[in-house]
Amino acid sequence: AKYKSQTAYGPLLQGYGICGGYSDAMALFLDKMNIPNYKISSENHVWNLVYIDNKWLHLDLTWDDPVSNDGKDYLFHTYFLKTNEEVAKADEGETKLEEHNFNKLYYLEFNY
């Protein structure tokens, strides 16, 4: 494969990344800063969970750095340090992504 977009190497060194690459790269930075974190997944998407201010929050770089049809570089904060409720509401919004439907039985930190 030309690009290693599924690992941190792709977004950090090649400029191309998919959700696996984004979440791997973010995990590297979070680990370096000693911020507790791990990767979470739904059936078709991966993002990060971070422990900040005594709570676990969602951090999804992939959907906050969208590819646009007009060639402009957009940066959103729709999925940046969000609670379960905020992420669910964003998924139900205009885009109807429903990408963040994860199994709460596996991620006990979000059973509140």
Side-chain angles (χ1 to χ4, degrees):
K2 182 176 180 180
Y3 297 110
K4 297 180 181 181
S5 57
Q6 76 282 7
T7 67
Y9 189 89
L12 293 177
L13 299 175
Q14 295 178 311
Y16 292 93
I18 60 173
C19 59
Y22 273 103
S23 59
D24 281 357
M26 178 51 72
L28 290 172
F29 290 110
L30 292 167
D31 288 346
K32 187 70 173 168
M33 294 183 289
N34 294 317
I35 296 173
N37 73 93
Y38 58 89
K39 290 176 271 186
I40 188 171
S41 66
S42 63
E43 287 186 23
N44 57 358
H45 189 51
V46 179
W47 65 100
N48 302 89
L49 292 182
V50 297
Y51 192 70
I52 297 177
D53 294 332
N54 297 314
K55 59 187 167 195
W56 286 99
L57 299 169
H58 298 266
L59 174 59
D60 187 345
L61 297 181
T62 306
W63 288 116
D64 283 344
D65 185 21
V67 175
S68 66
N69 291 331
D70 61 12
K72 293 182 181 176
D73 190 18
Y74 295 95
L75 183 63
F76 299 120
H77 296 96
T78 308
Y79 298 99
F80 188 80
L81 300 180
K82 301 295 182 175
T83 64
N84 273 354
E85 293 77 21
E86 290 170 321
V87 166
K89 186 175 181 180
D91 273 2
E92 293 170 0
E94 192 175 308
T95 57
K96 305 231 184 299
L97 289 173
E98 297 182 7
E99 293 284 337
H100 301 93
N101 291 333
F102 60 96
N103 188 333
K104 291 181 183 176
L105 295 175
Y106 297 131
Y107 303 101
L108 299 180
E109 291 80 1
F110 281 107
N111 283 330
Y112 54 83

